Amino acid sequence: MRFDVLTLFPGMFTGPLSESILKRAIQAGCIAVVLHDIRAYATDRHRTTDDAPYGGGAGMVMKPEPLAACIRAVLAMNGGGETGHNSPVILLTPDGEPFTQRIAAELATYPRLVLVCGRYEGVDERVREALITRELSIGDYVLTGGELAAMVVIDAVARLVPGVIDSESTAEESFSDGLLEYPQYTRPAVWEGRAVPPVLVSGHHGEVAQWRRRERLRRTFERRPDLLVRAALTDADRAYLRTLGWSDPGNGGTGREHRSPVE
Ligand code: ADE
């Protein structure tokens, strides 16, 4: 899978891409990350990429011409083969659709993604209308630019590309079925007076599996009850959750309203 990243600051990507799993995925040819400097597509003497907003106001806006030229040049490159022109062109922006594990899984099915990093106060709206096919936000906070958000998207998508990590690791993890993860322990069995839960050293696979499922349910109920509304729950799951004080909402609520009215 190929990621084309359009940015004014290509140097921001070198650290994260040259360590650990992403580094290995690139070396193994599972993913490729191609950085494109938007400034190289500016045509004036000063290589200007931003300008003051029409109507006044603070900050600068990314000019349409260099960004559009960069996007078009990247789409014309043959990196995506026959599908190059159908690649999603994704703008990272705080007013985009919230990025989720579901979207990461969907994006992992494309042979190529084009990621556009916005800077300054934003991107000229006409480029968004003309060339951007999807807009993503990684959370309700404002970063100095889309670079770190693009890195987050690359990381979350890359680990779902076959061969990057073993598929067992992604099958049972948080969010893939709508529940948070169970707690993990490794040796020593007692650390600073804290023992590992006895069931984990009991050797009873069935009991371990039930304990883990219940821990996932409990964690999700305590920390993210909103997730339970869409989680795939069995009758046994619901019965266990009710022992914790959960009330099956069935009405779009989270089942915790009676306990924490301020949430
Ligand atoms: N650019 C600035 N803030 C952002 C955010 N929260 N998500 C995606 N892109 C951004």
Side-chain angles (χ1 to χ4, degrees):
M1 162 155 206
R2 166 168 165 158
F3 300 89
D4 283 287
V5 183
L6 285 59
T7 172
L8 287 166
F9 303 98
M12 286 182 72
F13 292 82
T14 44
L17 295 174
S18 56
E19 298 282 349
S20 184
I21 292 173
L22 294 183
K23 175 188 178 179
R24 261 189 285 129
I26 291 168
Q27 284 172 344
C30 296
I31 64 164
V33 181
V34 186
L35 300 169
H36 306 275
D37 187 348
I38 297 166
R39 195 173 300 282
Y41 293 83
T43 50
D44 66 314
R45 203 158 55 89
H46 300 290
R47 297 221 171 266
T48 311
T49 55
D50 63 333
D51 205 341
Y54 273 116
M60 299 290 269
V61 177
M62 281 175 80
K63 287 170 67 63
E65 306 95 321
L67 182 55
C70 186
I71 294 171
R72 290 190 169 117
V74 168
L75 286 176
M77 292 173 187
N78 196 31
E82 293 301 307
T83 58
H85 283 280
N86 299 324
S87 305
V89 181
I90 300 169
L91 176 69
L92 286 309
T93 173
D95 56 4
E97 178 186 2
F99 182 58
T100 60
Q101 188 67 26
R102 184 183 55 75
I103 295 175
E106 184 192 332
L107 296 180
T109 66
Y110 288 95
R112 182 187 190 192
L113 298 178
V114 178
L115 300 173
V116 179
C117 305
R119 273 272 152 175
Y120 309 113
E121 298 305 303
V123 169
D124 189 289
E125 189 66 20
R126 294 164 294 181
V127 180
R128 295 168 76 157
E129 292 166 4
L131 293 168
I132 300 294
T133 62
R134 190 158 193 175
E135 305 195 352
L136 294 177
S137 163
I138 62 159
D140 290 342
Y141 39 78
V142 181
L143 304 167
T144 55
E147 282 76 10
L148 290 172
M151 215 41 257
V152 166
V153 170
I154 292 170
D155 193 281
V157 172
R159 60 192 292 289
L160 301 177
V161 171
V164 173
I165 54 175
D166 76 82
S167 52
E168 257 179 45
S169 312
T170 54
E172 254 219 3
E173 66 194 0
S174 293
F175 301 114
S176 58
D177 63 0
L179 295 175
L180 302 184
E181 267 278 31
Y182 49 79
Q184 298 275 18
Y185 300 86
T186 186
R187 280 175 288 193
V190 180
W191 173 75
E192 295 190 355
R194 297 165 192 267
V196 167
V199 61
L200 297 181
V201 290
S202 69
H204 293 125
H205 296 303
E207 285 178 25
V208 170
Q210 186 193 52
W211 180 86
R212 286 181 164 169
R213 181 74 186 174
R214 289 184 168 184
E215 286 298 304
R216 298 186 70 200
L217 293 164
R218 189 180 54 74
R219 257 194 192 194
T220 309
F221 173 63
E222 288 173 353
R223 300 180 182 195
R224 293 292 307 278
D226 56 299
L227 295 177
L228 290 174
V229 177
R230 273 181 296 149
L233 300 176
T234 65
D235 287 346
D237 291 338
R238 291 172 192 282
Y240 177 67
L241 283 165
R242 281 193 290 268
T243 71
L244 302 177
W246 179 70
S247 57
D248 203 337
N251 58 1
T254 67
R256 276 199 78 168
E257 289 80 3
H258 63 293
R259 282 163 57 112
S260 311
V262 291
E263 266 187 350

